[in-house]
Amino acid sequence: GQQVMQIPQYQHVQEGEDFTTYCNSSTTLSNIQWYKQRPGGHPVFLIQLVKSGEVKKQKRLTFQFGEAKKNSSLHITATQTTDVGTYFCPEGGSGTYKYIFGTGTRLKVLA
Amino acid sequence: NAGVTQTPKFQVLKTGQSMTLQCAQDMNHNSMYWYRQDPGMGLRLIYYSASEGTTDKGEVPNGYNVSRLNKREFSLRLESAAPSQTSVYFCASREASSLKQFFGPGTRLTVL
């Protein structure tokens, strides 16, 4: 799998503020997946994006896949304390079994 | 349906000791993975098994061995533990149709 660079590494927001994390690759991705890991927990799959320009929503979470399939973003509207955790965006291993998760973005929400 | 299970949950070893971390999945997945997670280092792939009978190195395989015992079970062995192997170890399996990975709860290993 390709290595995807994720920014920012850390983000603190006040509860109710919006939050966005970005994943960028120098090469075209076959797909991109998003996982969330709560503190002390294990990563949990959130979503997979496959198509160029794809946008998917899960309640307050909006996921986008870039037109060139080289970047992706996760936007959280009106963050809540339940959004606390680390978000990862590996390429989903299509054509290869390897996943490279990287360091992720750690989100802290201040009440 | 338990998903992915890992044993033990916690382990403390002395330098030089050996141990095997166990992982099993009941979802009939072909592919299984071992990751380690250190503070500030994210998740790093140690080994993976694309299917029963095959194993391949990931990003950080040194100091580890794996065995894909059958379709359900994938174990990770530390032959001579070192303090640098103190970490949280996660096992995962992959659903072939969706490429989605399912993770176990992790094993917290400390090597003194």
Side-chain angles (χ1 to χ4, degrees), chain B residues 60-106:
Chain B
V60 289
N62 291 345
Y64 305 95
N65 287 303
V66 290
S67 294
R68 184 73 184 268
L69 304 170
N70 47 55
K71 191 170 187 178
R72 288 188 64 248
E73 299 171 287
F74 188 35
S75 63
L76 179 72
R77 183 160 177 83
L78 286 70
E79 290 292 350
S80 179
S84 61
Q85 294 178 304
T86 293
S87 189
V88 180
Y89 291 86
F90 289 102
C91 176
S93 67
R94 186 179 87 163
E95 184 177 70
S97 58
S98 68
L99 305 182
K100 182 192 304 187
Q101 284 197 64
F102 296 81
F103 283 79

Coordinates of all heavy atoms in Angstrom, one line a residue, chain B residues 60-106:
Chain B
V60 N 7.9 -3.5 10.0 CA 8.8 -3.6 11.2 C 8.9 -5.1 11.6 O 8.5 -5.4 12.8 CB 8.5 -2.7 12.4 CG1 8.8 -1.3 12.0 CG2 7.0 -2.9 12.7
P61 N 9.4 -6.0 10.8 CA 9.3 -7.5 11.1 C 10.4 -8.0 12.0 O 10.3 -9.1 12.6 CB 9.4 -8.1 9.8 CG 10.3 -7.2 9.0 CD 9.9 -5.8 9.5
N62 N 11.5 -7.2 12.2 CA 12.7 -7.7 12.9 C 12.3 -8.0 14.4 O 11.8 -7.2 15.1 CB 13.8 -6.7 12.8 CG 14.4 -6.6 11.4 OD1 14.1 -7.5 10.6 ND2 15.1 -5.5 11.2
G63 N 12.7 -9.2 14.8 CA 12.5 -9.6 16.2 C 11.2 -10.4 16.4 O 10.9 -10.7 17.5
Y64 N 10.5 -10.6 15.3 CA 9.2 -11.3 15.4 C 9.2 -12.5 14.4 O 9.8 -12.4 13.4 CB 8.1 -10.3 15.1 CG 8.0 -9.1 15.9 CD1 8.6 -7.9 15.5 CD2 7.4 -9.1 17.2 CE1 8.5 -6.8 16.2 CE2 7.3 -8.0 17.9 CZ 7.9 -6.8 17.5 OH 7.8 -5.7 18.2
N65 N 8.4 -13.4 14.8 CA 8.0 -14.5 13.8 C 6.5 -14.7 13.9 O 5.9 -14.4 14.9 CB 8.7 -15.8 14.2 CG 10.2 -15.8 13.8 OD1 10.5 -15.5 12.7 ND2 11.0 -16.0 14.8
V66 N 5.9 -15.2 12.8 CA 4.5 -15.4 12.8 C 4.2 -16.9 12.3 O 5.0 -17.5 11.6 CB 3.7 -14.4 12.0 CG1 3.7 -13.0 12.6 CG2 4.3 -14.4 10.5
S67 N 3.0 -17.3 12.7 CA 2.5 -18.6 12.2 C 1.0 -18.5 11.9 O 0.3 -18.0 12.7 CB 2.7 -19.7 13.3 OG 4.0 -19.9 13.5
R68 N 0.7 -18.8 10.6 CA -0.7 -18.9 10.3 C -1.1 -20.3 10.5 O -1.0 -21.2 9.6 CB -1.0 -18.4 8.9 CG -2.4 -18.4 8.5 CD -3.1 -17.2 9.1 NE -4.6 -17.2 8.8 CZ -5.1 -16.5 7.8 NH1 -4.4 -15.9 6.9 NH2 -6.4 -16.6 7.6
L69 N -1.7 -20.6 11.7 CA -1.9 -22.0 12.1 C -3.0 -22.6 11.3 O -3.0 -23.8 10.9 CB -2.3 -22.0 13.6 CG -1.2 -21.3 14.5 CD1 -1.8 -21.1 15.9 CD2 0.0 -22.1 14.5
N70 N -4.0 -21.9 10.9 CA -5.2 -22.3 10.1 C -5.9 -21.0 9.7 O -5.4 -19.9 9.9 CB -6.1 -23.2 10.9 CG -6.4 -22.7 12.3 OD1 -6.9 -21.5 12.4 ND2 -6.1 -23.4 13.3
K71 N -7.0 -21.2 9.1 CA -7.7 -19.9 8.6 C -8.1 -19.0 9.7 O -8.1 -17.8 9.6 CB -8.9 -20.3 7.8 CG -9.5 -19.2 7.0 CD -10.6 -19.6 6.0 CE -11.0 -18.5 5.1 NZ -12.0 -18.9 4.1
R72 N -8.4 -19.5 10.9 CA -8.9 -18.7 12.0 C -7.7 -18.1 12.8 O -7.9 -17.0 13.3 CB -9.6 -19.6 13.0 CG -11.0 -20.1 12.5 CD -11.7 -20.8 13.6 NE -12.0 -19.9 14.7 CZ -11.4 -20.0 15.9 NH1 -10.5 -20.9 16.2 NH2 -11.8 -19.1 16.9
E73 N -6.6 -18.7 12.9 CA -5.6 -18.3 13.9 C -4.3 -17.8 13.3 O -3.7 -18.4 12.3 CB -5.3 -19.5 14.8 CG -6.5 -19.9 15.6 CD -6.2 -21.2 16.3 OE1 -6.1 -22.3 15.7 OE2 -6.1 -21.1 17.6
F74 N -3.8 -16.7 13.8 CA -2.5 -16.1 13.4 C -1.8 -15.7 14.6 O -2.2 -14.7 15.3 CB -2.9 -14.9 12.5 CG -1.7 -14.3 11.7 CD1 -0.7 -15.1 11.3 CD2 -1.7 -12.9 11.5 CE1 0.4 -14.5 10.6 CE2 -0.7 -12.3 10.8 CZ 0.4 -13.1 10.3
S75 N -0.6 -16.3 14.9 CA 0.1 -16.0 16.1 C 1.3 -15.2 15.8 O 1.9 -15.3 14.8 CB 0.4 -17.3 16.9 OG 1.3 -18.1 16.1
L76 N 1.8 -14.4 16.8 CA 3.0 -13.6 16.7 C 3.9 -14.0 17.9 O 3.5 -14.1 19.0 CB 2.6 -12.1 16.9 CG 3.8 -11.1 16.9 CD1 4.3 -11.0 15.5 CD2 3.3 -9.8 17.4
R77 N 5.2 -14.4 17.5 CA 6.1 -14.8 18.5 C 7.3 -13.9 18.7 O 7.8 -13.5 17.7 CB 6.6 -16.2 18.2 CG 7.5 -16.8 19.2 CD 7.6 -18.3 19.2 NE 8.6 -18.8 20.2 CZ 8.3 -19.1 21.4 NH1 7.0 -18.8 21.9 NH2 9.2 -19.5 22.3
L78 N 7.6 -13.6 19.9 CA 8.8 -12.9 20.3 C 9.8 -13.9 20.8 O 9.5 -14.5 21.9 CB 8.5 -11.8 21.3 CG 7.8 -10.6 20.9 CD1 6.4 -10.8 20.6 CD2 7.9 -9.5 21.9
E79 N 10.9 -14.2 20.1 CA 11.8 -15.3 20.6 C 12.6 -14.8 21.7 O 12.9 -15.6 22.6 CB 12.7 -15.7 19.4 CG 12.0 -16.4 18.3 CD 11.5 -17.8 18.7 OE1 11.9 -18.3 19.8 OE2 10.8 -18.4 18.0
S80 N 13.1 -13.6 21.7 CA 13.9 -13.0 22.8 C 13.5 -11.6 23.0 O 14.0 -10.7 22.3 CB 15.4 -13.2 22.4 OG 16.2 -12.6 23.4
A81 N 12.6 -11.3 23.9 CA 12.0 -10.0 24.0 C 13.0 -9.0 24.4 O 14.0 -9.2 25.2 CB 10.9 -10.1 25.0
A82 N 12.9 -7.8 23.9 CA 13.7 -6.6 24.2 C 12.8 -5.5 24.6 O 11.7 -5.4 24.2 CB 14.5 -6.2 23.0
P83 N 13.4 -4.5 25.5 CA 12.6 -3.4 25.9 C 12.0 -2.6 24.8 O 10.9 -2.0 24.9 CB 13.6 -2.6 26.7 CG 14.5 -3.6 27.2 CD 14.7 -4.6 26.1
S84 N 12.6 -2.6 23.6 CA 12.1 -1.8 22.4 C 10.8 -2.5 21.9 O 10.1 -1.8 21.1 CB 13.2 -1.8 21.3 OG 13.5 -3.1 20.9
Q85 N 10.5 -3.7 22.3 CA 9.3 -4.3 21.9 C 8.1 -4.0 22.8 O 7.0 -4.6 22.6 CB 9.5 -5.8 21.7 CG 10.5 -6.1 20.6 CD 10.8 -7.6 20.5 OE1 11.2 -8.3 21.4 NE2 10.5 -8.1 19.3
T86 N 8.3 -3.2 23.8 CA 7.2 -2.7 24.7 C 6.3 -1.9 23.8 O 6.7 -1.0 23.2 CB 7.7 -1.9 25.8 OG1 8.5 -2.7 26.7 CG2 6.6 -1.2 26.6
S87 N 5.0 -2.4 23.8 CA 4.1 -1.8 22.8 C 2.7 -2.3 23.0 O 2.5 -3.2 23.9 CB 4.5 -2.0 21.4 OG 3.8 -1.3 20.5
V88 N 1.7 -1.8 22.3 CA 0.4 -2.4 22.2 C 0.3 -3.1 20.9 O 0.6 -2.5 19.8 CB -0.7 -1.4 22.3 CG1 -2.1 -2.1 22.3 CG2 -0.6 -0.6 23.6
Y89 N 0.0 -4.4 20.9 CA -0.1 -5.2 19.7 C -1.5 -5.5 19.3 O -2.3 -6.0 20.1 CB 0.7 -6.5 19.9 CG 2.2 -6.3 20.0 CD1 2.7 -6.0 21.3 CD2 3.0 -6.4 18.9 CE1 4.1 -5.8 21.4 CE2 4.4 -6.2 19.1 CZ 4.9 -5.9 20.3 OH 6.2 -5.7 20.4
F90 N -1.8 -5.2 18.1 CA -3.2 -5.4 17.5 C -3.1 -6.4 16.4 O -2.3 -6.4 15.5 CB -3.8 -4.1 17.0 CG -4.1 -3.1 18.0 CD1 -3.3 -2.0 18.2 CD2 -5.3 -3.2 18.8 CE1 -3.6 -1.0 19.2 CE2 -5.6 -2.3 19.7 CZ -4.8 -1.2 19.9
C91 N -4.1 -7.3 16.5 CA -4.3 -8.3 15.4 C -5.5 -7.8 14.6 O -6.5 -7.2 15.2 CB -4.5 -9.7 16.0 SG -5.0 -10.9 14.7
A92 N -5.6 -8.0 13.3 CA -6.7 -7.6 12.5 C -7.0 -8.7 11.4 O -6.1 -9.4 11.1 CB -6.5 -6.3 11.9
S93 N -8.2 -8.7 11.0 CA -8.5 -9.6 9.8 C -9.2 -8.7 8.8 O -9.8 -7.7 9.2 CB -9.3 -10.8 10.2 OG -10.6 -10.4 10.6
R94 N -9.2 -9.1 7.6 CA -9.8 -8.3 6.5 C -10.9 -9.1 5.8 O -10.7 -10.2 5.4 CB -8.7 -7.9 5.5 CG -9.2 -7.0 4.4 CD -8.1 -6.6 3.5 NE -8.0 -7.5 2.4 CZ -7.3 -7.3 1.2 NH1 -6.7 -6.1 1.1 NH2 -7.3 -8.2 0.3
E95 N -12.0 -8.4 5.6 CA -13.1 -8.9 4.8 C -12.8 -8.7 3.3 O -12.5 -7.6 2.9 CB -14.3 -8.1 5.2 CG -15.6 -8.6 4.6 CD -16.8 -7.7 5.1 OE1 -16.9 -6.5 4.8 OE2 -17.6 -8.3 5.9
A96 N -12.8 -9.8 2.6 CA -12.3 -9.7 1.2 C -13.2 -8.8 0.3 O -12.7 -8.1 -0.6 CB -12.3 -11.1 0.6
S97 N -14.5 -8.9 0.5 CA -15.4 -8.1 -0.4 C -15.3 -6.6 -0.2 O -15.4 -5.9 -1.1 CB -16.8 -8.6 -0.1 OG -17.2 -8.4 1.2
S98 N -15.1 -6.2 1.0 CA -15.1 -4.7 1.3 C -13.7 -4.2 1.6 O -13.5 -2.9 1.6 CB -16.0 -4.4 2.5 OG -15.4 -5.0 3.7
L99 N -12.7 -5.0 1.8 CA -11.3 -4.6 2.2 C -11.3 -4.0 3.6 O -10.3 -3.4 4.0 CB -10.7 -3.7 1.2 CG -10.7 -4.2 -0.3 CD1 -10.0 -3.1 -1.2 CD2 -10.0 -5.5 -0.4
K100 N -12.4 -4.1 4.3 CA -12.5 -3.5 5.6 C -11.7 -4.4 6.6 O -11.8 -5.6 6.6 CB -14.0 -3.5 6.0 CG -14.3 -2.9 7.4 CD -15.7 -3.2 7.8 CE -16.7 -2.7 6.8 NZ -18.1 -2.9 7.4
Q101 N -10.9 -3.7 7.5 CA -10.2 -4.5 8.5 C -11.0 -4.4 9.9 O -11.5 -3.4 10.2 CB -8.8 -3.9 8.7 CG -7.8 -4.3 7.6 CD -6.4 -4.1 8.0 OE1 -5.9 -4.7 8.9 NE2 -5.7 -3.2 7.4
F102 N -11.0 -5.5 10.5 CA -11.6 -5.6 11.9 C -10.4 -5.9 12.9 O -9.7 -6.9 12.7 CB -12.6 -6.8 11.9 CG -13.8 -6.6 11.0 CD1 -13.7 -6.8 9.7 CD2 -15.0 -6.1 11.5 CE1 -14.8 -6.6 8.8 CE2 -16.1 -5.9 10.7 CZ -16.0 -6.1 9.4
F103 N -10.4 -5.1 13.9 CA -9.3 -5.2 14.9 C -9.7 -5.9 16.1 O -10.9 -5.8 16.6 CB -8.8 -3.8 15.2 CG -7.9 -3.2 14.2 CD1 -8.5 -2.6 13.0 CD2 -6.5 -3.3 14.3 CE1 -7.7 -2.1 12.1 CE2 -5.7 -2.7 13.3 CZ -6.3 -2.1 12.2
G104 N -8.7 -6.6 16.7 CA -8.9 -7.2 18.1 C -8.7 -6.1 19.1 O -8.3 -5.0 18.8
P105 N -8.9 -6.4 20.4 CA -8.8 -5.4 21.5 C -7.4 -5.1 21.8 O -7.2 -4.1 22.5 CB -9.5 -6.1 22.6 CG -9.4 -7.5 22.4 CD -9.4 -7.7 20.9
G106 N -6.4 -5.8 21.4 CA -5.0 -5.5 21.6 C -4.4 -6.3 22.8 O -5.2 -6.7 23.7

